[in-house]
Every structure is written in structure tokens, then in C-alpha cells.
Amino acid sequence: MKYVALVYYQESIINSMTEKEWHDLNQECIAGVERLTDQGKFITGQPLQPIEAATTVRVRDDEVLISDGPFAETKEQLAGFYLLDANDLNEALQLASRIPPARFGSIEVRPVRELPPKD
């Protein structure tokens, strides 16, 4: 079954890291993806640019509304995602617990909802 692991952290914590600490964290993430791939558990994933690069799009009454920044002001920001292939929720949670940024923030795990076939 597919699960998405959404990575959240406070960008202020990341921004306060030294260049070496940031590099080391990224290397840990790369090694983690390699491990998940070797186990056949990693489908895809990507880190995201900081929230300053975000744009929110809303459509209300056929009018497109565009605003700079994320949809909601939150303590932690969405930093990236992993799409995992796990046998069940317990395995997905166990895999998510090894995602390095979990030490600084949180990993939200959700089952993927499959769309019905096209008519």
C-alpha cells in the first residue's frame, strides 16, 4: 500500500544550522533514500523550496485568487515528502521514524487515496 510521509519542520531551525550541519543533514537524507530504495520501499519524494517561494491559488466563484506564501500560517512548514510502499500503517510509521528531519520537526503519514478509473 502507498503512504505519503509529509516532512514538516520549523524553517528557523534549519536556517540557524551551519553550512556543515545542513550538508550533513542532506547527506543523511540521501543515505536514507538509498536505504529505502534498496529495501523496495521508496517510490518517489522531493524536498521543497522554503515558504518564501510558495504561492497559493484559490478559485472562488470562477475567480482565480493568487497570493504569495503558504496557505496557512503554521509553526512548522511543509519541507518535502516521501512516497513509500509499505505493507501496512505500522510499517509506514516505522519507515517514517527513520526520516532524519523527524528529529527537528514531524512526519505526517497518510495512506494514499487511489482515484477511481476514468469513465
Side-chain angles (χ1 to χ4, degrees), residues 49-109:
Q49 293 288 329
I51 59 170
E52 291 83 23
T55 304
T56 299
V57 178
R58 295 178 179 86
V59 178
R60 301 293 184 271
D61 298 320
D62 292 327
E63 181 182 357
V64 177
L65 307 169
I66 298 174
S67 59
D68 291 337
F71 170 70
E73 295 289 326
T74 60
K75 184 177 178 184
E76 295 181 331
Q77 294 77 41
L78 180 61
F81 73 95
Y82 291 65
L83 185 59
L84 304 171
D85 183 14
N87 294 321
D88 54 30
L89 178 60
N90 287 333
E91 183 182 26
L93 295 173
Q94 185 259 346
L95 295 170
S97 73
R98 294 186 183 142
I99 295 173
R103 296 191 311 267
F104 307 103
S106 58
I107 312 296
E108 179 181 336
V109 177

